[in-house]
Amino acid sequence: MNQDRVSLAVEGDIEDRISVLPRNVIDCILELLSVKEAAKTCTLSKSWRYVWSELPKMVLDYEFCDELIDESESKFREVVDGIMLLHMGKIVKFDIDVRVEDLASYTAIDRWVLYVTRNSVKKLHLRIFNIDDRTYTLPPCVFHCSTLTQLKLARCSFKPPGSFRGFPNLVTLRLASVTFSERCVIKAPRLANLTLNCCDGMQYLNIASPVLKSLYVCYPHSYIALNCFMNCKNLRDLGLVFSKVFANPKHDHRSTLVKLLGSLPALEVLLLDSLFIELLCADVVLSTGPPFMLNCLRKLSLSVDFGKLGHISCVLQLIKCSPNLNELEIRVKGTDDNVEAFVKCLKTPGCLQLPLNKLEYVSFYGFASPNCVEVFAMLFIFQAPSLLRIFIEQPIGTKSSKELSGLPRASPKAELVIS
């Protein structure tokens, strides 16, 4: 039987099961390959000659581009020009991740971007690194592409032309190390997901999107007016991670943050770094508690300095105004210098009345303040009746306290993990 199969294979009579697959299945298989590997399928048979050139997704990843550029940048441009020339049909997704030196490559990239925007591209991803730190400026055709649903940019300059009227179909916008050099209003009525990471010139940025659901602003290099997001009533996820707060005489960061959190009734996930915890530590806020409730909040992720009692009080207040909190993550900073004062703070009547009925998961990350972490963990072990898991990260060699494992627990299902 095996000999017969070998014989058939030699004679070329075995059925070609791949070629008879539905075209969308073949496309999915080829999309898992690099452009280089997908192009090799043209040698399989006449029926496969142009299959790769009709793929709706064109991904020129860093490895593919770098291999060509190591030979020469002109070779890189020549090969990609050839791919564009041979391509047939629409391009739904165009993704390029490249490191260039020759400015002629910028002109070539402009040409490729123009080609895909004229072919109804929906997902456009550009990551362009220049060895001389010369920023790539987006060509005007990007701002006139009404079919875009996803735009991801890295190391680009964002300068819309005067005729720019927004992105009518854009759903996801992710900008990393993008520079804004003049006032820019982005109208995106369908924008649901926005990420701004290490961007510069954000004081010029104003994004109008009534349906925004996810907003993450990380390490901005300039001032950003958070109050422009106060009308985003559908916001579900909010993450703010700053290395510093930039002064602006027209805006009070503390009151802006408080107003922003109070204007988001549907918020489910909140990520704040220690800089924003510091802003919320104002006496006027902590004495009466935050002037807002986070009734829909399910996950709270915070970076906290356990060496500052104000930070601890702020965390407790945020938990107090989140009656449906399910998951708490704390990235620990600081020292154990104030352990006694820390314990006294946790024994206050207000602390003993926290709404922890829905809390199931608690995690402590970071190797700082191990004693304070253990004391804080006791609070949840004693008072969270639905707790399923509490995780504590500790440095190698640290002797874990046996007291935590032997404590009576409000939840019989609670699992303590220390690693």
Side-chain angles (χ1 to χ4, degrees), residues 312 316 341-352 354 372 374-379 383:
I312 301 305
L316 296 175
F342 186 88
V343 173
K344 185 181 294 186
C345 177
L346 294 183
K347 288 184 178 181
T348 58
C351 183
L352 299 176
L354 293 176
C372 289
E374 289 189 2
V375 173
F376 206 25
M378 291 182 187
L379 174 68
Q383 297 191 48

Side-chain angles (χ1 to χ4, degrees), residues 15-75:
E15 180 183 2
D16 182 358
R17 296 183 180 180
I18 295 181
S19 296
V20 297
L21 290 172
R23 181 53 189 271
N24 64 320
V25 175
I26 292 177
D27 286 349
C28 287
I29 294 173
L30 292 183
E31 286 168 6
L32 297 175
L33 304 177
S34 66
V35 173
K36 182 178 179 179
E37 295 299 323
K40 288 181 180 179
T41 61
C42 69
T43 62
L44 294 177
S45 67
K46 289 183 178 180
S47 63
W48 280 82
R49 186 172 182 180
Y50 298 109
V51 171
W52 75 274
S53 65
E54 297 174 348
L55 290 175
K57 298 181 181 180
M58 187 180 297
V59 179
L60 309 176
D61 60 24
Y62 185 85
E63 183 178 356
F64 170 78
C65 296
D66 203 48
E67 183 178 339
L68 291 171
I69 288 176
D70 280 345
E71 187 172 341
S72 73
E73 279 200 41
S74 60
K75 176 69 173 179

Side-chain angles (χ1 to χ4, degrees), residues 380-387 408-412 414:
F380 303 109
I381 292 174
F382 286 145
Q383 297 191 48
S386 300
L387 190 66
R409 306 176 187 184
S411 170

Side-chain angles (χ1 to χ4, degrees), residues 325-340:
L325 189 65
N326 176 263
E327 183 176 355
L328 175 66
E329 288 184 354
I330 296 180
R331 300 193 176 276
V332 183
K333 298 180 179 181
T335 64
D336 280 331
D337 294 342
N338 296 322
V339 176
E340 293 183 3

